[in-house]
Amino acid sequence: MDSQTSQPSQASPSPHTFQVDLRGLVDLLSHHLYSSPKVYLRELLQNAVDAITARRAEQPDAPAAVRLYAEGGTLRVEDSGVGLTESDVHSLLATIGRSSKRNDGLESARSDFLGQFGIGLLACFVVAERIRVVSLSARTPDAVPVEWTAADDGSYTVRTLPREARAEPGTTVHLVARAGAGEWLSPERVRTLARDFGALLPYDVRVGDEPVADLPAPWDRPYPSPAGRRVALARHCRELFGFTPLDSIDLDVPLAGVRGVAYVLPTAVSPAQRASHRVHLKGMLLTERAEQLLPDWAFFVRCVLDTDSLRPTASRESLYEDETLAAVREALGERIRSWLTGLAANDPERLAAFLSVHHLGVKSLARHDPEMLRTMLPWLPFETSDGRLSLEEFAQRHPVVHFTRTVEEYRQVAPIASAQGVGVVNGGYTYDSELVEALPAVRPGTAVSELDADTVTAHLDTVDPAEELALAGFLAAARSRLDPLNCDVVLRAFHPLSVPALHLDDRAARHEQARAEAEEQADDLWAGILGSLRGSTPRARLVLNHLNPLIRRISSLGDPELIGTATESLYGQALLMAQRPLRPADSALLNRAFIGLLEWATHTDLGKDDRR
């Protein structure tokens, strides 16, 4: 091999420039970056506002006007901003992604800008087939107007114009609608979008002669009275979100540059439903669907606010998750928490009205905030054996606050426990058991205990040993019938008398029941594995009420088969009373018991007829 050919080349490779397919880029913008073509108008307004901001940084008394004119599938946007020179046009409009905020010493003022000129103007191709920009720079005294014209195929031209083409500094953007997009440039649509995006802009923005901005913001306006302010904000909420709020909460966080209001929903919503909020960035509407603005527990409010500190994503349609957003989220959560505390101290009627709808959100907050739980103890409602009460009132009535972890367990024991003087809180609803368990920490001296089958049974009166011994045959037959169901039969005396039987179990018993069922249906390998998991075999209990007349009659039966059928019927009725879901074996037992009782009744009636 030639030694020269084995040496690596020392020549530097010539650089190449990426070729951009503008049609493909427009498709990417319209289908993946932006949620709707309507954002084209926001980008135009952002460019105009940024240009005015840049000019005022150098000329504080410069005019600040933006005018939009829509007619016949075209749109003209004029601003009195800083304008562009010919070199600006080449560097900003011909180079995708270049930002005007980095030029001419304006880096220190970047926090006052909203968008990025090149990409923002490029977004207009979502609705336009041709864009024409005419601009006159305010920075260069002898500058002449410059024109940049571009088509959606990626071609563009740049030329200078005579002085009379534009007398005052600023920029005019002309759009011509692409096929099928004319509606987006109609006067009605432009007016609606301009009002939506620019309602809080600090400059004189008009569509034709009609003002767009509506300043000051509703939450910053003076009102004759607090009641008048509430009425005005409620009207604003109806216009913005379509509902009349229960109340409004000021969101004023000066350190984070946030001003706005949170509106309390008038109806309950699911905690899993993501709340959407309206966020303006320096007056321009950024998004109507900001989901991460508030803590998760504050799902009962909808917010509208203006900020100058939060960072938008690339599409400028949502918020970038960073430390600033996390700090704002915490600060806004603190404002809502303070509002709740203020209601508890000063307006209990409004607090009660709020909690009747949104107690779930407050419970979610109170789980992690002991001070909030302490404040809300007299107000948060819980389902108890004494009715719907607050934990504070319930704890005053009962020395020990018993609770169940599931609704099914509560339904099993609540009527019986109440009759025995045992207070029970239904902890089966979202967050409730956690809050009951946290009660001793915020209310010292309070005893809390989970109510299980053993506790309930211990509170029921035992039957005289002689009477129970006399019923040994009956109890043996009943236990034999329910033994395959892993259920014991015990005899107790309790109130109310109308309850013949009570089915009691706990999670351990249900777990063992599920394990046993799985073992029966498994193959040999899995049956062996499941069998090895068998513990002390906890069992459910059917507690028969010796005070109930029906139980007394059944216990006097002499036929073991009839006793078994009656016991199965009592077992099924106790399950139904507890509103427990029935397993296939339980449903089969109910059907068998029902048919058995019919056969017994029919057989008895036929016997009577034969004797006649």
Side-chain angles (χ1 to χ4, degrees):
M1 176 183 287
D2 190 332
S3 61
Q4 291 183 345
T5 61
S6 64
Q7 297 295 322
S9 174
Q10 300 299 316
S12 299
S14 59
H16 298 279
T17 302
F18 283 107
Q19 301 299 309
V20 177
D21 179 358
L22 189 56
R23 290 185 185 273
L25 186 56
V26 168
D27 180 73
L28 179 67
L29 292 173
S30 59
H31 291 96
H32 300 284
L33 184 61
Y34 297 124
S35 62
S36 167
K38 70 180 183 180
V39 298
Y40 87 91
L41 192 65
R42 184 195 64 197
E43 301 294 342
L44 287 174
L45 287 176
Q46 283 184 347
N47 284 340
V49 169
D50 284 347
I52 293 172
T53 301
R55 183 176 180 184
R56 284 201 156 185
E58 302 174 359
Q59 306 171 20
D61 57 348
V66 181
R67 298 290 183 266
L68 297 92
Y69 304 94
E71 183 179 4
T74 65
L75 175 64
R76 185 172 84 254
V77 181
E78 300 177 352
D79 69 65
S80 59
V82 70
L84 302 172
T85 63
E86 183 176 1
S87 61
D88 290 335
V89 168
H90 282 289
S91 63
L92 296 178
L93 301 185
T95 305
I96 294 172
R98 181 73 58 83
S99 173
S100 62
K101 289 69 169 181
R102 301 182 186 275
N103 296 334
D104 300 313
L106 291 181
E107 181 69 26
S108 61
R110 290 199 68 192
S111 62
D112 295 327
F113 295 105
L114 299 172
Q116 189 172 21
F117 194 85
I119 285 290
L121 194 60
L122 187 64
C124 293
F125 279 121
V126 172
V127 297
E129 68 176 9
R130 188 168 69 255
I131 301 174
R132 176 171 168 256
V133 177
V134 176
S135 188
L136 177 64
S137 174
R139 295 195 184 111
T140 307
D142 58 347
V144 295
V146 60
E147 176 191 73
W148 177 86
T149 304
D152 61 1
D153 62 0
S155 62
Y156 71 93
T157 60
V158 178
R159 63 174 182 150
T160 57
L161 300 177
R163 271 234 176 241
E164 57 270 18
R166 186 176 181 97
E168 297 295 329
T171 301
T172 301
V173 179
H174 303 260
L175 301 185
V176 177
R178 63 191 307 139
E183 192 270 338
W184 289 103
L185 271 62
S186 66
E188 296 78 11
R189 178 58 70 92
V190 169
R191 188 178 301 109
T192 299
L193 293 179
R195 286 175 179 168
D196 204 28
F197 287 121
L200 300 183
L201 288 175
Y203 301 139
D204 179 18
V205 182
R206 298 172 183 261
V207 177
D209 295 326
E210 185 175 335
V212 167
D214 187 19
L215 296 175
W219 50 84
D220 285 331
R221 295 172 190 167
Y223 296 97
S225 66
R229 186 175 191 272
R230 280 199 298 270
V231 171
L233 289 179
R235 187 186 310 116
H236 176 247
C237 180
R238 283 195 301 272
E239 294 171 353
L240 207 59
F241 294 113
F243 65 85
T244 300
L246 283 178
D247 206 349
S248 56
I249 308 168
D250 284 321
L251 302 178
D252 183 10
V253 188
L255 292 178
V258 171
R259 287 283 296 158
V261 62
Y263 293 116
V264 181
L265 290 164
T267 56
V269 293
S270 167
Q273 179 178 332
R274 301 295 296 178
S276 296
H277 311 288
R278 289 176 65 94
V279 177
H280 295 255
L281 180 61
K282 304 180 183 71
M284 183 73 71
L285 178 65
L286 178 70
T287 179
E288 301 172 276
R289 298 187 301 275
E291 295 183 348
Q292 68 273 48
L293 186 65
L294 294 180
D296 290 340
W297 56 262
F299 54 82
F300 50 83
V301 298
R302 297 292 179 269
C303 295
V304 54
L305 55 83
D306 188 24
T307 176
D308 59 15
S309 64
L310 298 180
R311 177 183 170 191
T313 58
S315 66
R316 296 195 286 282
E317 293 188 274
S318 58
L319 298 172
Y320 189 84
E321 185 67 50
D322 57 11
E323 293 181 358
T324 302
L325 179 57
V328 168
R329 184 187 301 121
E330 179 62 30
L332 296 181
E334 182 57 38
R335 292 294 182 274
I336 299 174
R337 185 185 290 108
S338 298
W339 169 78
L340 285 170
T341 305
L343 285 187
N346 305 313
D347 201 339
E349 290 186 3
R350 285 171 67 196
L351 178 62
F354 166 76
L355 289 177
S356 68
V357 179
H358 296 300
H359 57 273
L360 199 59
V362 180
K363 287 181 177 180
S364 175
L365 168 61
R367 287 184 307 154
H368 307 295
D369 189 334
E371 188 57 38
M372 179 57 63
L373 177 57
R374 185 179 294 106
T375 301
M376 290 296 153
L377 270 182
W379 307 104
L380 286 175
F382 287 78
E383 182 180 356
T384 78
S385 53
D386 292 353
R388 199 162 181 80
L389 299 174
S390 69
L391 284 182
E392 176 66 29
E393 186 175 357
F394 189 82
Q396 290 174 358
R397 295 185 182 187
H398 299 278
V400 178
V401 177
H402 293 283
F403 73 98
T404 63
R405 291 193 182 276
T406 68
V407 175
E408 290 79 11
E409 290 174 351
Y410 176 79
R411 288 170 177 166
Q412 280 182 341
V413 303
I416 308 304
S418 179
Q420 313 308 310
V422 178
V424 186
V425 177
N426 185 356
Y429 295 115
T430 307
Y431 311 133
D432 283 9
S433 61
E434 297 175 69
L435 294 178
V436 174
E437 289 182 297
L439 193 55
V442 298
R443 195 178 188 276
T446 303
V448 172
S449 175
E450 183 176 352
L451 191 66
D452 55 19
D454 289 335
T455 304
V456 176
T457 306
H459 278 82
L460 304 180
D461 295 334
T462 58
V463 178
D464 182 83
E467 292 187 56
E468 187 167 1
L469 182 60
L471 298 175
F474 160 73
L475 292 174
R479 288 166 179 156
S480 175
R481 184 57 64 96
L482 294 187
D483 186 67
L485 297 174
N486 288 319
C487 182
D488 288 331
V489 177
V490 297
L491 189 65
R492 293 289 188 274
F494 56 87
H495 293 273
L497 300 180
S498 58
V499 177
L502 175 66
H503 181 270
L504 294 177
D505 65 0
D506 52 27
R507 284 185 301 280
R510 288 194 293 275
H511 175 75
E512 172 59 24
Q513 195 175 63
R515 186 208 60 77
E517 290 176 355
E519 183 179 355
E520 290 179 1
Q521 300 173 7
D523 57 29
D524 292 342
L525 174 61
W526 281 109
I529 294 174
L530 292 169
S532 68
L533 298 177
R534 185 186 298 113
S536 58
T537 317
R539 294 163 66 88
R541 299 170 192 168
L542 182 67
V543 184
L544 303 180
N545 187 1
H546 188 54
L547 301 180
N548 180 266
L550 177 61
I551 296 297
R552 287 183 175 272
R553 288 197 296 272
I554 293 175
S555 64
S556 65
L557 295 173
D559 184 349
E561 186 63 30
L562 184 55
I563 290 174
T565 300
T567 302
E568 289 180 335
S569 299
L570 290 169
Y571 175 85
Q573 187 262 356
L575 287 180
L576 294 174
M577 288 295 293
Q579 301 183 41
R580 287 286 304 278
L582 299 180
R583 300 169 298 158
D586 297 330
S587 299
L589 176 143
L590 276 173
N591 290 332
R592 184 171 65 248
F594 178 71
I595 296 299
L597 289 176
L598 284 179
E599 288 180 347
W600 178 82
T602 304
H603 175 75
T604 301
D605 289 342
L606 288 175
K608 291 178 181 178
D609 292 341
D610 291 343
R611 287 194 293 274
R612 292 194 188 99

